[in-house]
Amino acid sequence: MTPVEQLADVAPEPGVSKPDPILVVDDVSRAFGGLKAVDVDHLEVQRGVITALIGPNGAGKTTFFNLLTGFDQPDSGTAVFDGEIASGKSSHELARKGMVRTFQLTKALTKLSVVENMKLGATHQRGEHFFAALVSPLWNAQERDIESRADALLERFKLDHMRDEYAGTMSGGQRKLLEMARSLMADPTLVMLDEPMAGVNPALTQSLLEHVKSLRHEGITVMFVEHDMDVVRDISDWVVVMAEGQIIAEGPPDTIGSNQQVIDAYLGSHHDSALDLDAGLLDEEKP
Amino acid sequence: MLLFVSSVLLIWGPGLAVAQEGGESVGTRLRFENVDGDRIPIEGGRVTVATLDGEAVAEGLSDAEGNVEIPVPGPGTYVLTLDVETLPEGVVLRDPDRLSTETQVLEGQTGRTIFALIAGDVTLDTDEGVSFRQILQLSVEGLKLGLFLGMGAIGLSLIFGTTGLVNFSHSEMIVWGMLVAYFFNFYGFAGFLGFMANWPAPFGAGVNLAFAALFAIAGGAGLGYAMDRWIFLPLRERGVSLISQMVVTIGLSLILRYVFLFIFGGSPRFFADFTAQSAITIGIVDITPKDLITAALSIIILLGVGLLLLRTKLGKAMRAVADNRDLAESSGIDVQRVIRSVWVLGGSLAGLGGVFIGLSEQVSWNIGFRMLLLIFAAVVLGGLGTAFGALVGALVVGIGIQVSTLFIPTELKNVGALALLILVLVFRPQGILGRAERIG
Amino acid sequence: MSLAAIDWGFILTQSVTQAFDFNAVVYALAAIGLNIHFGYAGLLNFGQVGFVAMGAYGMGLSITLWQLNPFLAVVVGMIFAAIFALILGLPTLRLRSDYLAIVTIAAAEIVRLIARSTVMRPITRGAEGLNEFIGPFRDLSPFSPGQIYGIGPIEWRGSQFFAVVVGWILVALSLLLVAQLMRSPWGRVVKAIREDEDAARALGKNAYWYKLQALILGGVIGGLGGMVQALGNATVQPDFFVAPLTFFFWLVLILGGVGRVWAPVFGAVVYWFMITFIQNTGRQLVDEGLIPTSIMDTSQIDQIRFWIVGAALALLMVFRPQGFFGSREEMALDAR
């Protein structure tokens, strides 16, 4: 049974347990100046599938993402990633263990070339140690290895024509692609994408979606934050809905839109129309 | 506890000085440094020059800057001897045996040498230990220093809060205020518009320091306005990064500091009024009337600033911008106008602070750097960007510095404050009053 | 009283000599350190002079206090600078960059104040400074102290020529080191951190640790500068290490172009040539009466240096941050 098929038997309710979770979150909370931004009782993320995290503005999605990826530390609670306690670990430790994230505001390193950006993504590089860096023979072979992997990925993401350009010359969509490709250099088991479609022109959206789906084929687990319901419906296997810092609903994408609590949550913040999930491209939830 | 005032002659700058006339000479600079780190030149100190054989060659007196330069007939080794009789009272050679020093003169160059001096031994009460009276006395002096620092720290903190810029030239605004007050105290407008010489004060002559202080406030406000209007606003509009702007404030502080030196000269001076006052005793604490009044004025002014920030629309706007600039902007606050006001407020507070510091210590061109470091200690302690935190931090630093002299040598009192700065960053980087922000 | 009386030959000789003198080496080394800090790792070090002082004192004290041999003394100087970097870096490198700026400028002044304090006099010799350390180094020098060495009119006494030669060798080694590091994966990580720390962390790089390494490395190279200063001047005096010196180093770095391997050397040579030229010309103009002493006397000529440095620092930072060599294109990519 594939990981996706396993999900079929899972009940669509918040905090439900899954057959093969890669990430398990318990009682994680984070407050800013008395305001509780995140307060999640329990969440499991199924291995090998694409999980979407949606919710109205200010729901705490990005904060939750930051907590999971070690960019912020929770006030309380634990997260277990791949059988190891993840909370309290710093972001780079988690990344080395295979949890690699991207950012809503793309972080392509504009003053490095595209291929250097890619090479940066590889972990366990010998030449990254200070003294080893001084002796080229220690890392030359590995460097060539990394470079060929980078070239292969660039080709797959159709960025090979920009290989030696500064990343700063790329368009917004190309940067998103680069960031995704770069995260694959780290051999991740879980990729966390923070609004991968934000600011990408429609022509590139489809290709981006295909790349996300291809990750699942390779057995990489994907979790992403998104506002666009169409995107969510198209590519995700499971949807988690957050509102006011809490998980209010979970379920397969085709049923989640009819969940009354979800509708209420969105109505609560957008009075104009039900489920206008597009509305939230402005990121106001960053405290 | 012995309070040493070590005094030294310094060779400024590396390498050998090049003689001015192309001929050979010997030279030295007579100055001593007081506990606050101000180098005070000695004028009229006599130095005699002799050959190694003891044959007298020449002699010279130090000028107002403490410089002595005496031409010698040619290259060779000469013996310089300091005439201790010509030194100011209380200043003596640290090692009485080193009355004379040798110096080698190379062709076309000036041979320089050093005389090390002690400006007398000032003895504090050693046998009674630390008394409550001492602590109280030092706390009051520290409170005074803290209040003056606070006037600078609030401005620095507000500018940081609203623009994100750490202004390394902030302390030069303090010195600026001090010098403006000095200028009006002695010369009035006639100082730069000569034709007014016969007009009444403040046009033709100096005014009482109390009025000169008003000019200092105006001068500080003007400098703050000018710096924002013609330097930092254009930089913000050009999109120059904060780090680059910070380097610009460094450059600005160097220019200002040495323009002050150029105009004012190197020797510390005193205001014309309220200088020599004897202390009065209140309870068990001794305090001079001028310190009492300036401290009281600082409290009133700082309370006023507090009210301004808490109650007025402008003050609320300042805090709003400091708190969350984007949010403030989107709620209709004219951010650039608020930033301008913050610069003007910061400049005028710094200017007045300068007058108070000049009155309490002395008027000097290079007091700024020490003040800057203490203000940094204060704002980091209080939490960068919070006005009230800066004030609390300044008081803690001021009192801490003075009381610490009971336990550590006076010459290291500022070191204590700076070490505290580093300790705060280790244990509570958001400062005493700062909110825990998300870092790292 | 005329321009003809000005000795241009003398001025030029002086300027060229200074441009390659050990002072230029001191500035170059300090700026190479700053380049690692600011140019590559993006660290705001406003107290480089403190690292320079630590190097000089570490070396000097090793001999005056502990009677070590000169080579060990150099190592101890480097360790001093490294420890200083640890003390400053450990608490601040997790915080925003302005904290490091504030702490470094304060700490550099702490070093100077402590070194010149009476309490430390038994160790540091207070304001007079150390000078007995020079003997063992003089013994190492292949040049005889009294003799004149040089090319044409540019000449040094043997005692200083040793510092000049040792200094430029150290500069060359430091440049090789920087060039090698910056083409290695280590350099790639450091440059990535400069641009976006979060991006580097998301890719598994321990940004804090790399920044600490960069701070130590740049500080140690600055410390070497302090040692060259000690050799050249045959003394280590606390009041050499005043705060403005750091900003002379900054100007040297910016002159050459931040983030370029060669920049500090170029900047140091240009800086010393220009300053010496301007000051000597100014002095002669005053002596010839072409600048009335009512406007400026010779002691004030020396202050011009600070005006020039201040103005150049501010203007270059705004209008030509890429320095003489840098390309506009690269700066345009800078997401300012």
Side-chain angles (χ1 to χ4, degrees):
Chain A
M1 213 161 52
T2 67
V4 182
E5 285 161 358
Q6 287 176 350
L7 279 177
D9 304 331
V10 175
E13 53 195 39
V16 69
S17 66
K18 316 239 167 29
D20 182 16
I22 189 171
L23 186 65
V24 180
V25 180
D26 270 303
D27 297 319
V28 163
S29 72
R30 179 75 169 102
F32 296 114
L35 193 83
K36 250 194 178 156
V38 166
D39 188 9
V40 169
D41 289 337
H42 187 80
L43 175 68
E44 295 183 7
V45 176
Q46 170 78 350
R47 188 189 304 273
V49 306
I50 300 178
T51 304
L53 179 65
I54 66 168
N57 285 329
K61 302 185 296 291
T62 294
T63 308
F64 187 43
F65 238 59
N66 286 342
L67 293 174
L68 293 180
T69 52
F71 278 81
D72 192 9
Q73 295 302 333
D75 300 329
S76 68
T78 55
V80 174
F81 169 61
D82 225 359
E84 278 186 73
I85 298 281
S87 36
K89 288 229 163 58
S90 56
S91 48
H92 68 269
E93 287 174 304
L94 289 172
R96 275 187 221 163
K97 293 203 186 311
M99 188 203 287
V100 177
R101 74 169 290 182
T102 66
F103 295 85
Q104 186 190 359
L105 299 168
T106 328
K107 292 186 185 296
L109 299 161
T110 56
K111 289 207 271 186
L112 297 183
S113 71
V114 170
V115 70
E116 288 285 300
N117 259 281
M118 293 294 291
K119 280 148 78 177
L120 181 73
T123 47
H124 305 291
Q125 298 190 38
R126 264 174 245 129
E128 287 181 355
H129 298 283
F130 181 84
F131 290 106
L134 296 174
V135 189
S136 308
L138 289 179
W139 47 265
N140 266 340
Q142 193 191 24
E143 180 83 353
R144 276 193 297 275
D145 242 31
I146 291 169
E147 195 160 324
S148 55
R149 269 180 58 215
D151 282 330
L153 273 170
L154 282 177
E155 203 168 327
R156 171 172 151 198
F157 280 79
K158 301 204 170 49
L159 292 171
D160 43 337
H161 62 289
M162 303 200 71
R163 184 182 190 278
D164 297 312
E165 313 263 335
Y166 284 119
T169 61
M170 296 178 120
S171 72
Q174 287 172 323
R175 290 183 195 204
K176 288 271 181 199
L177 282 173
L178 173 64
E179 207 181 4
M180 202 184 290
R182 191 176 63 189
S183 65
L184 294 186
M185 287 294 289
D187 286 327
T189 48
L190 171 61
V191 174
M192 312 272 285
L193 306 171
D194 194 353
E195 304 212 18
M197 309 300 159
V200 177
N201 79 50
L204 267 175
T205 310
Q206 206 49 45
S207 120
L208 255 168
L209 289 179
E210 288 309 315
H211 285 301
V212 174
K213 283 193 212 167
S214 73
L215 298 183
R216 182 177 53 194
H217 286 303
E218 292 173 24
I220 297 172
T221 313
V222 179
M223 185 173 183
F224 71 105
V225 171
E226 190 48 72
H227 287 287
D228 188 332
M229 196 58 194
D230 285 335
V231 170
V232 170
R233 206 172 281 126
D234 186 22
I235 66 166
S236 59
D237 304 309
W238 193 259
V239 180
V240 177
V241 187
M242 268 186 97
E244 291 169 356
Q246 298 181 326
I247 308 285
I248 56 161
E250 279 189 53
D254 39 354
T255 61
I256 203 79
S258 50
N259 183 310
Q260 190 55 43
Q261 271 189 296
V262 178
I263 295 169
D264 287 348
Y266 273 87
L267 277 177
S269 65
H270 301 289
H271 294 276
D272 42 357
S273 68
L275 271 187
D276 176 14
L277 300 192
D278 272 341
L281 281 180
L282 269 177
D283 180 47
E284 288 179 0
E285 70 205 31
K286 273 192 175 170
Chain B
M1 193 190 324
L2 282 179
L3 178 79
F4 284 110
V5 183
S6 62
S7 60
V8 288
L9 292 174
L10 298 162
I11 301 172
W12 164 249
L16 289 165
V18 178
Q20 289 157 21
E21 287 88 23
E24 294 79 16
S25 61
V26 292
T28 185
R29 188 162 189 190
L30 294 172
R31 350 184 238 186
F32 68 93
E33 186 157 329
N34 66 13
V35 273
D36 291 327
D38 299 308
R39 298 199 186 107
I40 299 168
I42 299 168
E43 186 173 2
R46 183 190 302 139
V47 176
T48 55
V49 185
T51 63
L52 279 178
D53 307 332
E55 186 188 333
V57 175
E59 64 172 49
L61 294 178
S62 59
D63 63 15
E65 305 289 320
N67 285 317
V68 200
E69 185 148 334
I70 307 162
V72 290
T77 303
Y78 294 90
V79 180
L80 275 73
T81 308
L82 182 64
D83 184 352
V84 288
E85 299 298 313
T86 61
L87 295 176
E89 198 165 337
V91 177
V92 293
L93 277 159
R94 183 161 51 223
D95 182 353
D97 295 336
R98 299 193 59 178
L99 198 64
S100 304
T101 66
E102 286 176 23
T103 180
Q104 197 186 7
V105 180
L106 299 172
E107 196 173 325
Q109 291 181 327
T110 300
R112 291 199 159 266
T113 187
I114 289 175
F115 293 102
L117 306 159
I118 298 175
D121 290 353
V122 183
T123 314
L124 291 180
D125 306 343
T126 46
D127 32 47
E128 64 186 82
V130 176
S131 71
F132 175 68
R133 195 199 72 80
Q134 275 178 309
I135 293 178
L136 201 65
Q137 174 75 37
L138 288 170
S139 300
V140 168
E141 284 166 25
L143 181 69
K144 181 191 79 185
L145 175 63
L147 286 166
F148 300 165
L149 283 178
M151 315 228 342
I154 285 188
L156 185 104
S157 204
L158 276 175
I159 291 171
F160 175 83
T162 50
T163 64
L165 175 69
V166 179
N167 178 16
F168 282 80
S169 60
H170 201 81
S171 55
E172 303 314 321
M173 298 212 267
I174 293 179
V175 181
W176 167 247
M178 188 186 284
L179 297 188
V180 167
Y182 182 88
F183 187 84
F184 280 101
N185 192 203
F186 276 89
Y187 306 108
F189 281 109
F192 48 81
L193 299 171
F195 66 89
M196 289 174 166
N198 296 323
W199 295 20
F203 301 101
V207 287
N208 186 288
L209 186 63
F211 293 103
L214 297 179
F215 287 102
I217 296 175
L223 183 62
Y225 179 89
M227 294 213 323
D228 187 52
R229 172 88 165 69
W230 286 295
I231 299 176
F232 293 102
L233 176 66
L235 292 185
R236 286 196 297 274
E237 284 174 347
R238 275 176 67 103
V240 172
S241 73
L242 282 172
I243 285 174
S244 303
Q245 289 187 38
M246 235 185 273
V247 176
V248 171
T249 68
I250 292 268
L252 213 55
S253 79
L254 275 181
I255 298 174
L256 285 174
R257 198 178 305 161
Y258 284 88
V259 166
F260 295 155
L261 172 63
F262 183 75
I263 295 170
F264 185 76
S267 350
R269 303 180 215 173
F270 293 97
F271 288 124
D273 306 298
F274 315 119
T275 299
Q277 284 188 339
S278 48
I280 55 172
T281 306
I282 299 172
I284 52 173
V285 173
D286 297 331
I287 187 166
T288 55
K290 65 175 181 184
D291 283 346
L292 196 60
I293 290 167
T294 50
L297 277 176
S298 319
I299 293 176
I300 293 169
I301 286 161
L302 290 171
L303 282 177
V305 171
L307 282 178
L308 172 93
L309 287 173
L310 290 175
R311 295 287 162 77
T312 67
K313 210 176 148 203
L314 178 65
K316 283 177 185 166
M318 285 176 182
R319 288 191 304 141
V321 174
D323 201 41
N324 186 334
R325 184 172 163 168
D326 295 335
L327 194 64
E329 192 146 35
S330 64
S331 54
I333 293 174
D334 182 349
V335 172
Q336 296 306 337
R337 201 180 72 92
V338 169
I339 291 175
R340 179 70 46 81
S341 321
V342 164
W343 273 95
V344 169
L345 177 67
S348 45
L349 280 175
L352 184 61
V355 180
F356 289 171
I357 292 167
L359 194 55
S360 141
E361 300 182 7
Q362 55 196 349
V363 183
S364 155
W365 68 281
N366 67 353
I367 209 164
F369 184 63
R370 181 169 58 97
M371 288 298 147
L372 183 70
L373 295 185
L374 297 184
I375 288 173
F376 278 157
V379 294
V380 169
L381 201 59
L384 256 177
T386 63
F388 297 109
L391 182 56
V392 173
L395 295 178
V396 172
V397 166
I399 294 171
I401 284 178
Q402 294 298 351
V403 173
S404 72
T405 58
L406 288 172
F407 314 104
I408 60 174
T410 311
E411 61 179 352
L412 292 180
K413 65 181 181 182
N414 295 330
V415 172
L418 301 179
L420 181 69
L421 164 94
I422 297 178
L423 284 181
V424 168
L425 287 181
V426 177
F427 295 108
R428 202 176 153 79
Q430 71 272 33
I432 308 172
L433 292 190
R435 257 181 314 175
E437 63 171 319
R438 288 187 298 154
I439 29 180
Chain C
M1 164 151 182
S2 76
L3 275 174
I6 290 176
D7 186 352
W8 293 109
F10 172 79
I11 292 175
L12 273 176
T13 313
Q14 282 291 319
S15 307
V16 175
T17 309
Q18 283 294 315
F20 295 97
D21 203 354
F22 68 87
N23 287 314
V25 172
V26 175
Y27 280 51
L29 285 169
I32 291 172
L34 269 187
N35 200 20
I36 295 168
H37 291 157
F38 182 65
Y40 295 114
L43 304 174
L44 272 183
N45 174 8
F46 282 175
Q48 179 71 339
V49 70
F51 292 92
V52 176
M54 289 306 265
Y57 270 101
M59 184 182 90
L61 290 175
S62 303
I63 290 173
T64 59
L65 206 60
W66 302 310
Q67 283 88 34
L68 300 180
N69 84 46
F71 295 102
L72 268 179
V74 171
V75 174
V76 171
M78 292 164 76
I79 293 174
F80 265 50
I83 291 174
F84 191 57
L86 281 175
I87 294 172
L88 300 189
L90 286 174
T92 55
L93 289 178
R94 283 188 207 280
L95 310 176
R96 268 207 337 262
S97 59
D98 5 30
Y99 282 97
L100 181 67
I102 291 175
V103 166
T104 46
I105 198 174
E109 187 68 0
I110 293 182
V111 169
R112 187 180 75 88
L113 290 176
I114 290 182
R116 77 193 310 284
S117 69
T118 19
V119 184
M120 292 291 282
R121 184 183 304 286
I123 297 169
T124 61
R125 316 283 305 138
E128 282 169 83
L130 305 170
N131 34 47
E132 295 90 351
F133 67 87
I134 199 69
F137 288 100
R138 289 263 156 88
D139 295 342
L140 285 178
S141 166
F143 311 108
S144 66
Q147 204 176 322
I148 302 292
Y149 296 84
I151 310 158
I154 298 151
E155 44 191 36
W156 286 280
R157 274 188 300 146
S159 51
Q160 288 182 351
F161 193 58
F162 182 54
V164 174
V165 172
V166 170
W168 284 110
I169 291 173
L170 286 176
V171 168
L173 291 176
S174 306
L175 289 185
L176 279 176
L177 182 83
V178 173
Q180 168 67 13
L181 278 174
M182 289 312 151
R183 56 176 281 274
S184 77
W186 187 88
R188 185 160 62 217
V189 176
V190 166
K191 283 184 261 184
I193 289 169
R194 179 203 165 138
E195 211 187 314
D196 195 323
E197 195 176 324
D198 284 345
R201 287 166 55 204
L203 294 169
K205 317 300 176 197
N206 186 347
Y208 178 66
W209 174 230
Y210 280 96
K211 288 198 282 185
L212 197 59
Q213 289 178 28
L215 189 68
I216 293 173
L217 176 65
V220 167
I221 293 179
L224 290 176
M227 298 182 215
V228 173
Q229 183 281 137
L231 281 187
N233 286 326
T235 177
V236 178
Q237 283 179 347
D239 292 312
F240 177 85
F241 307 101
V242 289
L245 210 55
T246 295
F247 304 110
F248 296 179
F249 304 152
W250 269 84
L251 177 61
V252 161
L253 172 63
I254 296 173
L255 265 178
V258 176
R260 279 161 199 287
V261 175
W262 274 94
V265 176
F266 176 81
V269 169
V270 169
Y271 171 85
W272 274 99
F273 181 88
M274 283 183 8
I275 290 293
T276 316
F277 187 86
I278 292 167
Q279 287 192 346
N280 275 314
T281 310
R283 280 198 204 103
Q284 293 210 8
L285 287 174
V286 172
D287 289 345
E288 291 298 321
L290 292 167
I291 295 178
T293 42
S294 59
I295 294 176
M296 201 172 255
D297 60 35
T298 28
S299 74
Q300 287 173 321
I301 293 284
D302 291 344
Q303 297 163 16
I304 296 180
R305 168 193 312 229
F306 295 91
W307 300 359
I308 296 172
V309 171
L313 200 56
L315 293 175
L316 280 173
M317 200 70 199
V318 174
F319 294 106
R320 207 171 161 80
Q322 72 272 41
F324 280 32
F325 289 142
S327 63
R328 281 212 165 274
E329 295 71 46
E330 195 178 333
M331 281 329 278
L333 292 172
D334 197 348
R336 302 194 293 191

